[in-house]
Amino acid sequence: MQFLAQIGLSDVDPVSAGVLSIFMCQNDPGLCDEWDANAGGNRAFVFGSDATDVVSVPDDGVCLLEETSAVDFVQVQTDDYLEARERWARDTGRSVLDVLGQVRGLPAWLQNDETPACSVCREPMSFVVQLEEGHNHQTAANFGDGGCDYGFRCTSCRRAAFLRQR
């Protein structure tokens, strides 16, 4: 599986610590059931605060993206993700395609609400992050040509889940 993203949980909830780390199948979209949080095509893990060190890129091995990138967080005062993207683009004069997702808030589902249940306690998981595919082919993850990926966690059981819609 390819490492996709790491989200600091303190960015989601100021009293939380640790990270949500997200991995996805490296095959063409649709071959690994990425749309199902429990089918094995995606994996997400919650790691404690002792796992927040930045690691170096390995000197050898297969690099699946030509480049990698970090992102900036920009606070926009609205609960509507689509409205936030439009407002940000208007205020900055940049394209909405430059917005690579959201942390916190409510997911902007492309299809129906597919909030996963925790595999341990069976309660609905909390939304953490929505990721957009990206517009630059050198750094964009392959989300099936315009899909979105959604990350969740169970705060009580420290479990995580990840799924795709397109």
Side-chain angles (χ1 to χ4, degrees):
M1 291 203 155
Q2 174 182 335
F3 172 74
L4 182 61
Q6 182 168 286
I7 311 302
L9 294 176
S10 62
D11 291 324
V12 178
D13 177 11
V15 298
S16 292
V19 294
L20 174 71
S21 294
I22 299 171
F23 300 83
M24 65 182 243
C25 177
Q26 62 187 353
N27 292 325
D28 287 335
L31 298 180
C32 296
D33 297 342
E34 303 92 358
W35 58 86
D36 187 333
N38 300 308
N42 302 312
R43 285 301 309 256
F45 300 94
V46 174
F47 296 109
S49 59
D50 58 340
T52 58
D53 292 334
V54 176
V55 296
S56 300
V57 176
D59 292 330
D60 59 356
V62 177
C63 181
L64 300 174
L65 295 175
E66 293 180 31
E67 297 179 10
T68 59
S69 61
V71 296
D72 290 328
F73 287 106
V74 176
Q75 193 83 334
V76 179
Q77 298 300 321
T78 180
D79 290 334
D80 184 312
Y81 173 61
L82 300 177
E83 178 186 328
R85 285 181 0 149
E86 293 292 334
R87 184 183 301 169
W88 178 85
R90 184 179 60 247
D91 291 350
T92 63
R94 294 173 61 184
S95 169
V96 294
L97 297 176
D98 288 342
V99 176
L100 297 178
Q102 69 169 328
V103 174
R104 294 191 300 271
L106 300 171
W109 296 106
L110 295 179
Q111 300 170 15
N112 298 320
D113 184 336
E114 294 185 57
T115 301
C118 175
S119 61
V120 175
C121 71
R122 302 289 180 215
E123 293 295 320
M125 293 182 138
S126 299
F127 175 70
V128 174
V129 66
Q130 177 173 341
L131 301 173
E132 301 281 345
E133 185 171 59
H135 65 283
N136 180 335
H137 74 280
Q138 290 183 306
T139 59
N142 189 352
F143 290 174
D145 195 24
C148 284
D149 284 15
Y150 305 85
F152 296 84
R153 71 175 175 149
C154 178
T155 54
S156 58
C157 298
R158 294 185 54 126
R159 300 285 187 201
F162 189 61
L163 63 103
R164 167 171 303 140
Q165 286 187 348
R166 65 177 177 144

